[in-house]
Amino acid sequence: MTEVDENPTPRRKTISNPYIHRLQRRHFLLFDVLPIIGTVAAFAFLAVRPFGVVEFALLFAMWLVTGLGVTVGYHRLFTHRTFKAAPWVAALLAILGSMAGQGGVVSWVALHRRHHEFSDREGDPHSPNLSGGGFTGAVRGLAHSHFLWMRRHEYPNIVHYAPDLIKDRKLVRVARLYYYWVALGLLIPTVIGGLVTMSWTGAVSGLLWGGFVRIFLLEHIVWAINSFLHMFGTRPYESRENSHNGGVFALVTLGESWHNNHHAFPDSPSFGLDWYRLDPGYWLIRTLAATGLAWDLKVPTTARMAAKRVA
């Protein structure tokens, strides 16, 4: 008879080894540093081709669809399961989120779930509040949480943090093609820019503005939520961490800047919570629900919100 170990080794929550760290450095250079270089190149290329309607349209459209892929797909659907969606909608959101260059969907979800588990405490991958006190500590914390933490960090064990996602074969197939989706997100504005202008300068300009500048802008918008909004803003609801709302940034963040609201009610697909608080991510979810492509929206009740509201 096989003996059963009465004290099995607990599953490791994080993984840290040289191979993982090499992958992190490569991703940091390709998708965090390279967009900075690409943005500088875009401004230098203005000497060859001025910024015009085509460049603005590609920048705005690619920012919007990939940003919605992150906030509605990566964040509200896959991380927090705030609603359910038709399989093809879920796959499309995962692909659009992947084009943002912020990591594969399974890894992103695992990191964000760990952030919520340890938010602003030891174990949080990107808290700005764990680097000491005073002005120096605040600056060091902001630099870490906004950008530098991605160079090297403990990798959340996806078996622990995302078991539901790794059981979804379609989603895993999307995640495995992450680098191809990022490349597609660069190719689309390049091709459109070239075809619309019928010139090589239009293609290069499309790549720079609809590709690299778009990635750069979206990344820093998302990172600012993890950095600045864990130090500054309003706190209408009780929450155990230092999250804040930044309502003035609601549109540019597609609703993500209602960060205190989100941490207080992480199971809510609405981050604004009230109709008058701008939340484009929730507008998309409501549109999907109206067409039968999304359902089971878990919006908190008025009584639940009132119970958590800071007096």
Side-chain angles (χ1 to χ4, degrees):
M1 181 176 179
T2 304
E3 293 184 2
V4 178
D5 187 355
E6 295 181 356
N7 298 297
T9 303
R11 178 187 295 151
R12 294 174 59 190
K13 287 188 174 184
T14 60
I15 302 170
S16 184
N17 58 52
Y19 174 71
I20 291 291
H21 295 323
R22 282 198 300 272
L23 293 180
Q24 289 170 345
R25 285 194 298 271
R26 183 178 71 181
H27 192 278
F28 179 74
L29 292 172
L30 284 175
F31 302 125
D32 302 330
V33 175
L34 186 58
I36 298 174
I37 299 172
T39 299
V40 173
F43 281 95
F45 198 68
L46 292 175
V48 178
R49 179 183 174 84
F51 185 85
V53 175
V54 173
E55 287 76 17
F56 174 79
L58 290 173
L59 172 60
F60 178 79
M62 291 300 295
W63 162 79
L64 181 62
V65 296
T66 58
L68 288 171
V70 172
T71 181
V72 176
Y74 272 32
H75 197 188
R76 309 189 202 203
L77 175 59
F78 298 119
T79 301
H80 296 291
R81 297 300 191 184
T82 64
F83 67 100
K84 296 177 182 177
W88 72 266
V89 172
L92 179 60
L93 288 170
I95 291 170
L96 293 175
S98 299
M99 289 182 183
Q102 297 182 19
V105 59
V106 178
S107 296
W108 198 100
V109 166
L111 273 165
H112 196 71
R113 287 178 178 176
R114 182 169 175 82
H115 162 64
H116 272 262
E117 181 181 11
F118 295 99
S119 189
D120 285 327
R121 295 177 295 163
E122 201 63 42
D124 187 342
H126 45 65
S127 172
N129 298 306
L130 303 175
S131 300
F135 178 77
T136 301
V139 172
R140 188 185 301 117
L142 284 172
H144 166 78
S145 63
H146 190 80
F147 189 67
L148 297 180
W149 72 275
M150 290 171 284
R151 296 176 302 172
R152 174 176 173 149
H153 56 86
E154 290 190 335
Y155 180 73
N157 186 352
I158 61 174
V159 175
H160 177 81
Y161 284 103
D164 52 328
L165 300 192
I166 61 179
K167 292 177 184 178
D168 187 334
R169 294 183 178 180
K170 292 181 180 179
L171 190 64
V172 169
R173 283 198 292 269
V174 170
R176 286 176 176 169
L177 296 174
Y178 166 66
Y179 285 93
Y180 293 96
W181 300 130
V182 177
L184 181 61
L186 297 173
L187 180 63
I188 289 173
T190 303
V191 172
I192 293 176
L195 290 177
V196 170
T197 65
M198 294 303 293
S199 67
W200 70 268
T201 59
V204 172
S205 196
L207 170 64
L208 292 174
W209 291 100
F212 291 116
V213 177
R214 175 263 308 174
I215 291 176
F216 171 84
L217 288 176
L218 183 57
E219 282 180 335
H220 285 274
I221 288 169
V222 172
W223 298 341
I225 295 162
N226 293 327
S227 56
F228 290 95
L229 289 185
H230 272 261
M231 295 187 77
F232 311 105
T234 60
R235 287 178 56 80
Y237 293 102
E238 295 178 358
S239 59
R240 69 182 186 185
E241 77 303 306
N242 203 36
S243 62
H244 295 76
N245 286 341
V248 68
F249 305 111
L251 282 179
V252 74
T253 62
L254 302 175
E256 290 281 327
S257 67
W258 302 112
H259 200 53
N260 174 251
N261 294 0
H262 166 58
H263 269 274
F265 307 100
D267 56 344
S268 172
S270 169
F271 289 179
L273 297 179
D274 295 297
W275 67 266
Y276 54 86
R277 293 195 172 98
L278 303 176
D279 186 353
Y282 186 53
W283 299 343
L284 175 59
I285 296 170
R286 286 292 302 270
T287 301
L288 292 172
T291 58
L293 296 174
W295 59 93
D296 198 14
L297 280 61
K298 305 180 182 70
V299 180
T301 63
T302 303
R304 185 182 169 203
M305 288 191 290
K308 274 203 168 187
R309 186 173 289 276
V310 175

